[in-house]
Amino acid sequence: GLGGVLPPPKFTSVGAEGRIQRASPGWSKLAHEDNSLGRNLYDFIREDDAPPLRAQIAQLVNGSKHA
């Protein structure tokens, strides 16, 4: 998962490319989407918020930041 990027009860697991792999019921409620598996996380993120989130995911993927 993304650790500190999003609250764990709302969000469960995202792949390196931003595809949602697992979603909690809290995430489904927050996103107003019952079937978000396989969709891109950035479909649910405001455009202004995407660059910092992408940077944090990149740090997690390359190992320079720990969840």
Side-chain angles (χ1 to χ4, degrees), residues 21-42:
Q21 297 173 337
R22 286 182 284 159
S24 70
W27 167 257
S28 298
K29 184 176 179 179
L30 177 71
H32 304 287
E33 180 67 45
D34 289 333
N35 190 15
S36 56
L37 296 182
R39 293 205 33 208
N40 197 294
L41 172 65
Y42 301 106

Side-chain angles (χ1 to χ4, degrees), residues 4-67:
V5 176
L6 293 173
K10 304 272 189 268
F11 190 76
T12 307
S13 180
V14 169
E17 296 81 32
R19 297 275 172 211
I20 297 170
Q21 297 173 337
R22 286 182 284 159
S24 70
W27 167 257
S28 298
K29 184 176 179 179
L30 177 71
H32 304 287
E33 180 67 45
D34 289 333
N35 190 15
S36 56
L37 296 182
R39 293 205 33 208
N40 197 294
L41 172 65
Y42 301 106
D43 292 345
F44 301 96
I45 304 296
R46 288 184 2 188
E47 192 173 320
D48 295 355
D49 294 331
L53 181 59
R54 288 182 193 276
Q56 288 186 4
I57 290 173
Q59 289 177 341
L60 288 169
V61 169
N62 73 25
S64 62
K65 183 175 182 176
H66 299 283

